Amino acid sequence: MRKVFLSGYAKLPDNTTAQKLYNHLVLVVTAEVPDGTILDADCTMATELGRRFIRELLVGYDLRRGPEPLAELLSQSYYGHLRKALQTCIKGICLQFGELARGSQSPKSPG
């Protein structure tokens, strides 16, 4: 097994604390290949509590399951203003992992 670094990006909604600090939400994870387990996660949320919550939610998730179960879990547990941006980031990370798992040497960033 090897460890890879994956990232997802999304435009932040206006008038949020994070948007005052950053233009985009960046969600990054390290994951094992080929089994897809997320080992660690971090994001550009404004508060440590928010970053820790997202980390705890993501660590251990199997990226081979795709973005839908994780987006649903996020919908059921995260009620902050960045939900849609986080879901977009998760989709981008799952897309990158899917490309990598199919044998691509260098996964492309989502457009």
Side-chain angles (χ1 to χ4, degrees):
M1 270 188 246
R2 65 184 173 123
K3 187 180 348 181
V4 295
F5 182 91
L6 306 168
S7 59
Y9 302 87
K11 186 173 179 349
L12 286 164
D14 292 334
N15 299 319
T16 61
T17 304
Q19 192 266 338
K20 303 229 183 287
L21 299 171
Y22 310 105
N23 290 324
H24 291 85
L25 176 67
V26 179
L27 176 64
V28 295
V29 302
T30 55
E32 290 182 344
V33 175
D35 71 355
T37 302
I38 294 177
L39 304 170
D40 201 2
D42 199 3
C43 63
T44 55
M45 292 178 81
T47 65
E48 175 61 31
L49 181 60
R51 291 187 302 272
R52 190 170 56 240
F53 181 82
I54 296 303
R55 179 180 295 119
E56 290 171 2
L57 193 69
L58 296 179
V59 168
Y61 183 76
D62 180 352
L63 290 168
R64 295 175 299 180
R65 297 180 64 201
E68 292 81 15
L70 195 50
E72 181 61 28
L73 180 60
L74 194 66
S75 291
Q76 295 171 359
S77 58
Y78 178 82
Y79 293 92
H81 297 289
L82 304 183
R83 182 188 305 172
K84 196 173 201 177
L86 284 163
Q87 289 172 329
T88 298
C89 290
I90 288 166
K91 287 177 185 174
I93 286 169
C94 287
L95 177 65
Q96 283 183 340
F97 181 78
E99 290 174 358
L100 183 61
R102 285 189 300 277
S104 173
Q105 293 293 12
S106 55
K108 297 174 186 166
S109 296

